[in-house]
Amino acid sequence: MTRFPMNRRRLLGTGAAALGAATLATPGLLRAQTRVKVAGIHASPVENAWNSVLHAAMVQANEEGVIDYTFSEGVSGTDYPRAMREYAEAGNVLIVGESYAVEREARQVAGDYPDTAFLMGSSGEAAGDNFGVFGTWNWEAAYLCGMLAGAMTETGQVGTVGAIPIPEVNMLINGFADGVKAVNPDVTHSVSFIGTFFDPPKAREAGLAQIDSGADILFGERIGTADAAEERGIRAIGSLINYTPRYPETVFANALWSFRPLMDAALADAVAGNPTGKTYTPLSLMEDGGNDIAYVEGVAPAEAVARMEEVRAAIKAGEFEVPRNFDEPA
């Protein structure tokens, strides 16, 4: 697809191809209904892992005839409220985006358009009847990946490269660390934050520094981390999407996340005229198909995989709860 400058829109027809984010859930409940207009506002390029998961879910729904999807990417914080207003004025039933940098302004816009539903990635609370929020809860899958990493490390040190220490990122990294410690409490876990959500070269540099400090497995909360691991010949773990096809000899496990269950629920509420001013985050749980682990067979020791699979089954059955820790990793 042709890339446009920021704030230029693209309309995807039914033949458009989705980007490579894994969709874990069965397509939603709206298949038989009339197509409705849905807009996506992406602060980063849609190639960014987090944005690509949202984008892929909406592209898929577009291809299924559920929605007519229009989107903008690379939208700056100063331009974000304007983009929200323009999409609301254009008659979109649901607007999906991220309000991390514009929490106050985004809620103000939603208040001005009470007949439009908004679903925003946010560290804050829902607002009014139409401002819904969600967080990225794939920390359960990260825990399972950590279990494999803890069993595989030979240096006794693993590393993580993260974006910014917001609660959702912290929880993911802490989930990975807890999984490592669950099988190998003596392992040292170091964390580097790059201060932005999308800067692959900076993530690569941070990964190289982790390796230079002794880490022999990297958890890539940010895209670009696996480049460092590939360059130095160590193993890495991906997050949000499946990085293994891109790094087949490097990325042996991925903590996947699917946005489709969340989008389907918010869209169903919007179409039915129900309030959407609520938190949709719990639909990211593994038992609801919102996150899961994908791993390459034969890389981790068989006994480590078996132990991990036992925990995986317990999580899906609601018999084991992975600790949730929003604190900034030490």
Side-chain angles (χ1 to χ4, degrees), residues 9-81:
R9 297 185 181 132
R10 288 186 277 177
L11 178 64
L12 296 182
T14 55
L19 295 182
T23 300
L24 307 178
T26 302
L29 306 174
L30 305 165
R31 188 187 301 273
Q33 298 189 10
T34 304
R35 295 173 73 108
V36 295
K37 294 177 67 174
V38 173
I41 309 175
H42 303 278
S44 297
V46 294
E47 287 77 11
N48 183 39
W50 187 87
N51 298 92
S52 75
V53 177
L54 274 63
H55 184 63
M58 290 183 280
V59 168
Q60 183 188 53
N62 186 92
E63 292 177 337
E64 292 168 2
V66 174
I67 66 174
D68 282 319
Y69 172 44
T70 310
F71 71 99
S72 300
E73 61 183 330
V75 181
S76 68
T78 54
D79 241 4
Y80 212 93

Side-chain angles (χ1 to χ4, degrees), residues 2 13 39 73-74 80 102 109-111 152 238 256 302:
T2 305
E73 61 183 330
Y80 212 93
V102 289
V109 172
M152 291 172 59
L256 304 179

Side-chain angles (χ1 to χ4, degrees), residues 94-107:
L94 176 67
I95 296 174
V96 175
E98 51 198 285
S99 58
Y100 298 108
V102 289
E103 295 287 3
R104 180 177 59 84
E105 296 90 341
R107 286 164 172 75

Side-chain angles (χ1 to χ4, degrees), residues 30 36-38 61 66-67 93-94 119 262-272 276 280:
L30 305 165
V36 295
K37 294 177 67 174
V38 173
V66 174
I67 66 174
V93 172
L94 176 67
L119 179 58
L262 291 76
M263 186 203 75
D264 283 347
L267 187 56
D269 282 338
V271 170
T276 55
Y280 290 88

Side-chain angles (χ1 to χ4, degrees), residues 111-128:
D112 292 338
Y113 296 91
D115 295 328
T116 303
F118 296 84
L119 179 58
M120 294 282 157
S122 173
S123 295
E125 301 295 330

